[in-house]
Amino acid sequence: MVASEIRALFAVAARPEVVSLAGGMPYVSALPLDAVGQMTGDLIARNGAEVLQYGSAQGDPVLREKICEVMSLEGIQASADDVIVTVGAQQALDLITRIFVDPGDVVLAEAPSYVGALGTFASYQADVVHVPLDEGGLIPSALSETLERLQREGRRVKFLYTVPTFQNPAGVTLTQARRAQILEICARYDVLIIEDNPYGLLGFDGEPMRALRADDADRVIYLGSFSKTIASGLRVGWALAPHAVRAKLVLAAESAVLCQSSFTQLAVREYLTTQPWREQIKGFCELYRERRDAMLESLAALMPEGCTWTNPAGGFFVWLTLPEGLDSKAMAPRAIAQRVAYVPGTGFYADGTGHRHMRISYCYPEPHRIREGVRRLAGVIEAELQLRDTFGGTGGYPTLGVDTPGPDTV
Amino acid sequence: MVASEIRALFAVAARPEVVSLAGGMPYVSALPLDAVGQMTGDLIARNGAEVLQYGSAQGDPVLREKICEVMSLEGIQASADDVIVTVGAQQALDLITRIFVDPGDVVLAEAPSYVGALGTFASYQADVVHVPLDEGGLIPSALSETLERLQREGRRVKFLYTVPTFQNPAGVTLTQARRAQILEICARYDVLIIEDNPYGLLGFDGEPMRALRADDADRVIYLGSFSKTIASGLRVGWALAPHAVRAKLVLAAESAVLCQSSFTQLAVREYLTTQPWREQIKGFCELYRERRDAMLESLAALMPEGCTWTNPAGGFFVWLTLPEGLDSKAMAPRAIAQRVAYVPGTGFYADGTGHRHMRISYCYPEPHRIREGVRRLAGVIEAELQLRDTFGGTGGYPTLGVDTPGPDTV
């Protein structure tokens, strides 16, 4: 593992004069902090002996029931016995990789994919093979071709890792029709699916998408998180897994952290029991939709010709593609100098590609800051285009490779 | 990994009619729950945007300063920059093992040693070699002989794992004189030391022992925890490590859990800033001393001849050795039937030995329950002795091997 260049960039990006379109931090200030404080204080005064004590490695049973209730919004029917509470979904991903992956095994992931997952896969020496996506999410024909090729090559594919809904970083969503196809292809090649779904309830239109797990309880391990729907500072996530896998995950979790924090688990349990959490999530959706609109409107108004971007229907992220010859990694320091930050696309690929892409997020800055950030970014890209047209290309920079995850790149 | 027999035992031991001398749970009800509740509620209402948000992978900087203040009580001079906050000290142990140990590498550990550490070492396929201890802690001559032998055999020793103060499970403490010897021997053989010290501030006589880390900043990685001095339900521990190791630990922590909970970290920071924590720890010490006394008095009054036990000057545990021919593992179900539970010694050895030992803890039950528990246990041992004298031995049971850790066996 080497120190991350992106991390150094973020240290600069944290300056108040910089508009950061880089972070994936939820806007937790929108929570009713007085009510949450009151609730938590009462919980400790009333039930401190449980809140402050060790719990079981699988997680609080009542919270696991509540988690099943939350997942039912995405069509999932599950037993609390098949749920394990984890230190964010990140820990679930780490434990799953620990259990399944031997060095050199293949893990399939979207191109681009979540940087924190790529970091975990790299730490277990998995060989990540990317499968392309488009506005409709992972492309089924590309998945089956990749599996066919890997099968011919005698490679051992351990699982497909996918963020099907409001994807990080691309902001796209796997269509309903493709979901059935992806399940069918993975069944055909007998490949496990890790469905990572932290943003599923943060859609801007209508009802939540039906989860992959809702239609295949045997082949899909579902990862969920309260980091985006309640608060990221709690670090409460979960995995829903077939029974035999769940049992192994509990043993691995015991070895890794002994048990989860009762303090955070019971705070979430209390929040889900006593607070209007469905309405609160709707409030988050409205807030993020307004910010998404601010970003998309500004992009349409200001971006130079040749730039393209995705059109997210939920979640936190827009994926922007630069005109030919531009390099988002090389451009990043110049953008910081113009007081705007983003995440270069290279971090989201395990194969050193992604230079023409960047992730820009609308979750944290307020709308007027988003507009200002896009304005600055458009200026930076304009300047790069002039450089390109004058000197012929701004690229030729070394590839970045996979970065280990950091809170800013969640 | 296989399901633990001990865990099944604990499910039964949790029944209210059973006196459990098995668990290592601190008596958190002794905390001022109203004050802690008020403090936490105010913290969220006032500072929710930080408390509920992602933090850095290394942990809150102010909390790390406070941790240095806590460690100074044991003679440690350290920079907050060399501290990483972890999900209990268990996570620090997991990350350290992940970084240093390849399958087949040797890890040295006391005989007996903490069950949770043995579980972690096993999960990374370390080869645990035990070094005996006595009432004065780890025996220096045994350590140097073991290292000499391993060197001759060409084995690669990655580190010595030790709980020098109020050891879990043996309740013994490494003498001051031996501390210097252990450091000298490890320097001679160039072996790293993992000093696990969750109980160091819970002594019953005088000032805290000087930590090994206080006298060797380069060779010792120190693990600390608030699980026993504040509350186990927080899961806030830490590692203090030489700079290069600390940097690797932060990257490994990012990969494993992204970052620690701000919610629990800032609660600890607030507690250490606003509450009389030194007095509260003194209160814990008095409470546990009273319980230790109740246990030692009952043992002296009631245990059959041939039983011996350690005399802890702090911490949670007494280590009891049965007369020849008795088997604590085989006896456990009969003890449960008599409504008393303990942890059989076999769980604390990686080599399948330990049948004549057991760990009995005095941290959680109230004194009258401890006395009743020891009375029942003495009765069970008496019955076993009669069986032994009639039939000649109650042993011959299969060895248990290493158990993965559970909250009850902390």
Side-chain angles (χ1 to χ4, degrees):
Chain A
M1 290 181 290
V2 296
S4 163
E5 290 172 290
I6 284 183
R7 202 173 304 117
L9 212 62
F10 273 108
V12 185
R15 293 183 191 157
E17 69 271 21
V18 174
V19 175
S20 179
L21 305 176
M25 300 183 298
Y27 193 71
V28 292
S29 302
L31 285 166
L33 297 179
D34 283 334
V36 173
Q38 183 76 48
M39 176 203 87
T40 310
D42 290 351
L43 174 69
I44 293 170
R46 194 180 71 240
N47 193 18
E50 186 185 4
V51 170
L52 300 172
Q53 190 56 271
Y54 289 117
S56 80
Q58 191 177 352
D60 179 69
V62 178
L63 175 59
R64 288 189 277 112
E65 295 282 355
K66 290 276 164 200
I67 285 171
C68 290
E69 202 182 307
V70 171
M71 290 190 293
S72 73
L73 300 176
E74 296 166 339
I76 294 173
Q77 299 303 317
S79 155
D81 192 44
D82 292 334
V83 173
I84 170 175
V85 183
T86 53
V87 184
Q90 184 75 28
Q91 192 197 16
L93 202 50
D94 180 71
L95 299 177
I96 287 167
T97 312
R98 188 189 293 210
I99 289 171
F100 283 103
V101 172
D102 295 312
D105 284 348
V106 171
V107 167
L108 298 177
E110 287 138 351
S113 184
Y114 165 52
V115 60
L118 296 179
T120 299
F121 300 151
S123 81
Y124 289 96
Q125 300 169 58
D127 183 10
V128 173
V129 173
H130 284 292
V131 182
L133 50 66
D134 59 21
E135 274 282 353
L138 190 66
I139 302 170
S141 60
L143 176 64
S144 59
E145 281 158 25
T146 304
L147 283 165
E148 183 61 33
R149 174 174 63 80
L150 291 165
Q151 192 178 61
R152 267 200 319 273
E153 292 169 1
R155 303 295 304 278
R156 191 162 59 168
V157 179
K158 280 300 169 73
F159 52 76
L160 164 67
Y161 169 76
T162 176
V163 185
T165 306
F166 317 135
Q167 205 241 12
N168 180 1
V172 301
T173 296
L174 191 65
T175 63
Q176 203 59 67
R178 284 190 182 179
R179 289 180 187 235
Q181 292 174 280
I182 298 293
L183 287 172
E184 185 276 318
I185 293 164
C186 287
R188 181 150 29 103
Y189 288 90
D190 196 18
V191 167
L192 198 67
I193 299 172
I194 314 298
E195 177 180 29
D196 189 4
N197 194 27
Y199 309 99
L201 297 182
L202 296 176
F204 306 146
D205 321 293
E207 291 304 297
M209 291 290 290
R210 188 170 169 85
L212 289 165
R213 167 60 177 74
D215 293 311
D216 194 334
D218 297 325
R219 186 167 304 282
V220 180
I221 300 177
Y222 177 99
L223 310 188
S225 174
F226 293 112
S227 288
K228 278 81 183 183
T229 49
I230 303 180
S232 46
L234 297 163
R235 311 302 297 122
V236 178
W238 71 89
L240 167 66
H243 204 73
V245 175
R246 195 276 290 155
K248 283 193 178 130
L249 284 174
V250 170
L251 291 171
E254 277 188 341
S255 176
V257 299
L258 205 62
C259 65
Q260 272 289 306
S261 165
S262 302
F263 193 71
T264 56
Q265 286 185 88
L266 271 57
V268 172
R269 178 178 103 183
E270 189 75 1
Y271 181 85
L272 293 172
T273 307
T274 66
Q275 305 293 309
W277 60 272
R278 288 178 183 80
E279 288 70 24
Q280 179 58 44
I281 291 176
K282 282 208 181 93
F284 276 129
C285 291
E286 279 161 36
L287 182 132
Y288 294 131
R289 178 170 48 197
E290 189 192 352
R291 294 175 182 199
R292 188 261 329 242
D293 290 346
M295 180 168 275
L296 291 181
E297 284 160 20
S298 305
L299 287 168
L302 300 167
M303 276 293 139
E305 202 173 337
C307 291
T308 59
W309 52 88
T310 57
N311 193 347
F316 287 4
F317 308 112
V318 165
W319 185 244
L320 187 141
T321 302
L322 294 170
E324 189 95 36
L326 264 56
D327 181 329
S328 66
K329 170 74 176 62
M331 192 176 86
R334 299 192 277 276
I336 292 282
Q338 297 302 314
R339 295 166 298 130
V340 60
Y342 56 82
V343 184
T346 43
F348 305 100
Y349 293 82
D351 56 8
T353 62
H355 287 75
R356 267 185 66 197
H357 307 284
M358 65 173 67
R359 190 188 79 178
I360 47 178
S361 60
Y362 51 80
C363 45
Y364 197 74
E366 299 189 6
H368 74 277
R369 294 279 286 171
I370 292 174
R371 289 189 197 96
E372 175 60 21
V374 171
R375 196 188 62 75
R376 293 176 188 172
L377 184 60
V380 173
I381 297 173
E382 292 277 12
E384 293 287 300
L385 285 171
Q386 283 171 18
L387 269 178
R388 178 196 68 175
D389 295 343
T390 312
F391 298 104
T394 63
Y397 298 83
T399 60
L400 184 70
V402 178
D403 275 88
T404 55
D408 283 310
T409 52
V410 176
Chain B
M1 291 182 286
V2 295
S4 162
E5 289 171 292
I6 285 185
R7 201 173 304 116
L9 212 62
F10 271 109
V12 185
R15 291 183 193 157
E17 69 271 21
V18 175
V19 175
S20 179
L21 306 176
M25 298 184 298
Y27 194 69
V28 292
S29 302
L31 285 167
L33 299 179
D34 282 335
V36 173
Q38 183 77 49
M39 178 203 85
T40 310
D42 290 351
L43 175 69
I44 295 170
R46 195 180 69 243
N47 193 19
E50 187 186 4
V51 171
L52 300 173
Q53 188 57 272
Y54 288 117
S56 81
Q58 190 177 351
D60 179 68
V62 180
L63 174 60
R64 288 188 278 113
E65 295 282 354
K66 291 275 164 201
I67 285 171
C68 290
E69 202 182 306
V70 171
M71 290 190 293
S72 73
L73 300 176
E74 297 165 339
I76 294 174
Q77 299 304 317
S79 155
D81 192 43
D82 292 333
V83 173
I84 170 175
V85 184
T86 53
V87 183
Q90 182 75 30
Q91 191 198 16
L93 202 52
D94 180 71
L95 299 177
I96 288 166
T97 312
R98 187 191 293 209
I99 289 171
F100 283 103
V101 173
D102 296 313
D105 284 347
V106 172
V107 167
L108 297 177
E110 287 138 350
S113 183
Y114 165 52
V115 61
L118 296 180
T120 298
F121 301 151
S123 81
Y124 289 97
Q125 299 170 57
D127 184 9
V128 173
V129 174
H130 283 292
V131 182
L133 50 68
D134 59 21
E135 274 281 352
L138 190 66
I139 301 170
S141 60
L143 176 64
S144 58
E145 282 158 25
T146 303
L147 282 165
E148 185 61 32
R149 175 174 63 77
L150 291 165
Q151 192 178 60
R152 269 202 317 274
E153 293 170 359
R155 302 296 303 279
R156 189 162 61 169
V157 179
K158 282 300 171 75
F159 53 76
L160 164 67
Y161 169 77
T162 175
V163 185
T165 306
F166 318 136
Q167 204 241 13
N168 179 5
V172 301
T173 295
L174 190 65
T175 64
Q176 201 60 67
R178 284 189 183 178
R179 288 179 190 236
Q181 294 174 278
I182 298 294
L183 286 172
E184 186 277 317
I185 293 165
C186 288
R188 182 153 26 107
Y189 289 90
D190 196 19
V191 166
L192 197 69
I193 299 173
I194 314 298
E195 177 179 28
D196 189 4
N197 193 27
Y199 309 100
L201 297 183
L202 296 176
F204 307 145
D205 321 295
E207 292 304 297
M209 291 291 287
R210 189 171 169 84
L212 289 166
R213 167 59 176 75
D215 293 310
D216 195 335
D218 297 326
R219 187 168 303 285
V220 180
I221 299 176
Y222 177 98
L223 310 188
S225 175
F226 292 112
S227 289
K228 279 79 184 185
T229 49
I230 303 179
S232 47
L234 297 164
R235 310 303 297 119
V236 178
W238 71 89
L240 167 66
H243 203 73
V245 175
R246 193 277 290 155
K248 283 193 178 128
L249 284 174
V250 171
L251 290 171
E254 277 188 343
S255 177
V257 299
L258 205 59
C259 65
Q260 272 288 306
S261 165
S262 302
F263 193 70
T264 57
Q265 287 184 90
L266 270 58
V268 172
R269 177 178 102 182
E270 188 77 0
Y271 181 85
L272 292 173
T273 308
T274 66
Q275 305 291 310
W277 60 273
R278 289 177 181 80
E279 289 69 26
Q280 180 58 44
I281 290 177
K282 282 207 181 92
F284 275 130
C285 290
E286 280 161 34
L287 182 134
Y288 294 132
R289 178 171 50 200
E290 190 191 352
R291 292 174 184 198
R292 188 262 330 242
D293 291 345
M295 179 168 276
L296 290 181
E297 285 160 18
S298 304
L299 287 168
L302 299 167
M303 276 294 139
E305 203 173 338
C307 290
T308 59
W309 54 89
T310 57
N311 193 349
F316 287 4
F317 308 113
V318 166
W319 185 245
L320 188 141
T321 302
L322 294 170
E324 188 96 38
L326 264 57
D327 181 329
S328 68
K329 171 75 175 62
M331 194 176 85
R334 299 192 278 278
I336 291 281
Q338 297 302 314
R339 294 166 299 133
V340 60
Y342 56 83
V343 184
T346 42
F348 305 100
Y349 294 83
D351 57 8
T353 62
H355 287 77
R356 266 184 66 198
H357 307 284
M358 65 174 69
R359 190 189 77 178
I360 49 179
S361 60
Y362 50 80
C363 46
Y364 197 75
E366 299 189 7
H368 74 277
R369 293 279 285 172
I370 292 174
R371 290 190 196 94
E372 175 60 20
V374 171
R375 196 188 63 72
R376 292 176 189 173
L377 182 61
V380 173
I381 297 173
E382 291 280 11
E384 293 287 300
L385 285 170
Q386 282 172 20
L387 269 177
R388 178 196 70 176
D389 295 343
T390 311
F391 297 106
T394 62
Y397 298 84
T399 61
L400 183 65
V402 178
D403 275 89
T404 55
D408 283 311
T409 51
V410 178

